[in-house]
């Protein structure tokens, strides 16, 4: 292996430390404590794990954490009533409705019912529009975490060729916007892209966010390129359950200049950025300066 490992776990700890320091000052100087509300509908096991982890880390950062756990058969009207209550609550600065929602609920409708200023996921249509037009917005946590890792490794990203594999609203599209914002030349590739290996070979930066285990082999990666692996896929190998990314780590690490591992890469950055976004939302709503280095 020749690639430098980009340690998301360590960078996430640094981000959480910065958030906690800022929260301490906010509380001491202004008597304000940022509050994050997470809404979970149903009992999806993976979502339950994420939500527990978010709550724990929110409290560790000195913030208020509120969880609303609703039954899987909760009506849309009841869910919207919870969102409206949180929108009106002055002690809550960030609202996250855990996705995916049960099939009978309209995700777009629910997300767009969140006050955009409290939309710490950055999924509300007005935050999507603000990001696309280069205006101040709430930025989706996973792409923000990827951007922080890329800036940490490269310093300036200006002029680099970036290929984002995956076109989801949660990762691919906002990731492309953020890279454009940092003056990369950006290609969004996806399952229908012609000559995908050739497209990826042109990249100085590869962000893989397709949700297919080890889909990107090392021979697609240009020597020295930086690889950010967003995938978190559970597979069984040699009779054991394993977590793997969308990139074949071993072969990619042999040619890349730098690569994020799975686990320990993008994953920890996502929750750290959620805390950062909650703090940012709190500062904005109180007309206070935003924390430095924690936003796009
Ligand atoms: N489910 C998986 N990732 C996410 C995320 O970033 N935000 C929300 N709300 N749900 C998710």
């Amino acid at each position: 292996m020749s690639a430098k490992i980009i340690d998301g776990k360590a960078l996430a700890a640094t981000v959480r430390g910065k958030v906690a320091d800022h929260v301490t000052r906010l509380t001491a100087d202004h008597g304000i404590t940022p509050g994050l509300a997470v809404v979970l509908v149903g009992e999806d096991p993976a979502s339950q794990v994420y939500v527990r982890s978010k709550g724990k880390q929110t409290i560790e950062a000195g913030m208020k954490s509120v969880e609303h756990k609703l039954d899987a058969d909760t009506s849309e009207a009841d869910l919207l009533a919870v969102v409206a209550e949180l929108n009106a609550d002055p002690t809550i600065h960030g609202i996250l409705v855990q996705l995916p929602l049960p099939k009978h609920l309209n995700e777009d409708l629910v997300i767009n019912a969140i006050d955009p200023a409290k939309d710490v996921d950055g999924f509300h249509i007005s935050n999507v529009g603000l990001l696309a037009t280069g205006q101040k917005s709430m930025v989706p946590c996973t792409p923000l975490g990827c951007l922080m890792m890329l800036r940490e490794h490269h310093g300036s990203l200006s002029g680099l060729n970036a290929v984002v594999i995956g076109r989801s609203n949660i990762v691919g599209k906002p990731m492309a916007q953020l890279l454009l914002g940092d003056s990369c030349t950006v290609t969004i590739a996806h399952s229908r892209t012609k000559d995908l290996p050739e497209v990826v070979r042109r990249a100085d930066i590869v962000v893989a966010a397709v949700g297919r285990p080890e889909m990107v082999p090392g021979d697609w990666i240009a020597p020295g390129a930086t690889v950010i692996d967003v995938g978190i896929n559970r597979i069984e190998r040699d009779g054991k359950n394993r977590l793997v990314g969308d990139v074949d780590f071993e072969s990619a690490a042999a040619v890349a200049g730098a690569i994020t591992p799975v686990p320990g890469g993008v994953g920890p950055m996502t929750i750290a950025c959620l805390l950062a976004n909650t703090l940012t939302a709190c500062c904005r709503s109180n007309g206070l300066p935003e924390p430095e280095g924690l936003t796009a």
Side-chain angles (χ1 to χ4, degrees), residues 240-261:
K240 287 186 188 156
N241 287 323
R242 290 176 191 279
L243 275 189
V244 299
D246 293 345
V247 176
D248 175 37
F249 183 84
E250 204 174 308
S251 62
V255 280
I259 187 167
T260 60

Side-chain angles (χ1 to χ4, degrees), residues 11-32:
L11 186 58
T14 303
V15 169
R16 289 198 305 271
K18 282 187 191 170
V19 171
D21 287 349
H22 203 100
V23 169
T24 302
R25 286 199 300 278
L26 209 54
T27 307
D29 298 348
H30 302 279
I32 297 167

Side-chain angles (χ1 to χ4, degrees), residues 96-99 121 123:
L96 178 147
V97 176
Q98 183 69 30
L99 302 178
D121 260 327
F123 296 164

Side-chain angles (χ1 to χ4, degrees), residues 44-122:
D44 177 63
S47 293
Q48 285 178 326
V49 172
Y50 285 134
V51 167
R52 215 173 301 133
S53 187
K54 282 169 190 167
K56 183 168 168 279
Q57 294 188 34
T58 304
I59 289 165
E60 282 169 3
M63 304 201 267
K64 168 176 158 160
S65 169
V66 173
E67 280 175 22
H68 286 261
K69 291 188 177 163
L70 308 178
D71 291 338
D73 62 356
T74 297
S75 70
E76 204 159 80
D78 285 351
L79 177 55
L80 290 172
V82 170
V83 170
E85 187 189 310
L86 294 169
N87 281 342
D89 184 340
T91 71
I92 294 298
H93 306 91
I95 302 170
L96 178 147
V97 176
Q98 183 69 30
L99 302 178
L101 288 173
K103 292 275 177 291
H104 68 284
L105 299 169
N106 181 334
E107 283 188 356
D108 288 338
L109 188 83
V110 173
I111 295 302
N112 290 324
I114 297 171
D115 176 349
K118 296 189 178 188
D119 168 37
V120 282
D121 260 327

Side-chain angles (χ1 to χ4, degrees), residues 86-269:
L86 294 169
N87 281 342
D89 184 340
T91 71
I92 294 298
H93 306 91
I95 302 170
L96 178 147
V97 176
Q98 183 69 30
L99 302 178
L101 288 173
K103 292 275 177 291
H104 68 284
L105 299 169
N106 181 334
E107 283 188 356
D108 288 338
L109 188 83
V110 173
I111 295 302
N112 290 324
I114 297 171
D115 176 349
K118 296 189 178 188
D119 168 37
V120 282
D121 260 327
F123 296 164
H124 189 289
I125 189 73
S126 35
N127 281 314
V128 175
L130 289 168
L131 177 62
T133 51
Q135 300 178 70
K136 197 189 260 193
S137 67
M138 296 307 302
V139 176
C141 303
T142 298
L144 178 58
C146 296
L147 183 74
M148 285 183 187
M149 290 193 287
L150 286 167
R151 285 178 176 167
E152 169 81 8
H153 178 68
H154 283 273
S156 169
L157 307 181
S158 181
L160 296 176
N161 285 325
V163 172
V164 179
I165 317 174
R167 52 177 156 174
S168 71
N169 291 334
I170 294 182
V171 183
K173 287 181 205 163
M175 186 75 246
Q177 298 289 2
L178 289 172
L179 291 164
L180 260 183
D182 270 29
S183 302
C184 290
T185 302
V186 182
T187 303
I188 305 179
H190 46 79
S191 55
R192 304 288 175 89
T193 297
K194 273 194 225 161
D195 299 327
L196 183 58
E198 273 312 306
V199 171
V200 177
R201 275 185 204 113
R202 289 201 293 268
D204 302 305
I205 292 170
V206 180
V207 180
V210 271
R212 287 179 49 191
E214 299 174 327
M215 189 194 109
V216 179
D219 70 356
W220 291 15
I221 305 295
T226 301
V227 178
I228 305 289
D229 190 350
V230 180
I232 301 178
N233 309 290
R234 271 166 225 284
I235 62 158
E236 201 187 303
R237 180 175 293 149
D238 306 330
K240 287 186 188 156
N241 287 323
R242 290 176 191 279
L243 275 189
V244 299
D246 293 345
V247 176
D248 175 37
F249 183 84
E250 204 174 308
S251 62
V255 280
I259 187 167
T260 60
V262 178
V266 175
M269 288 300 291

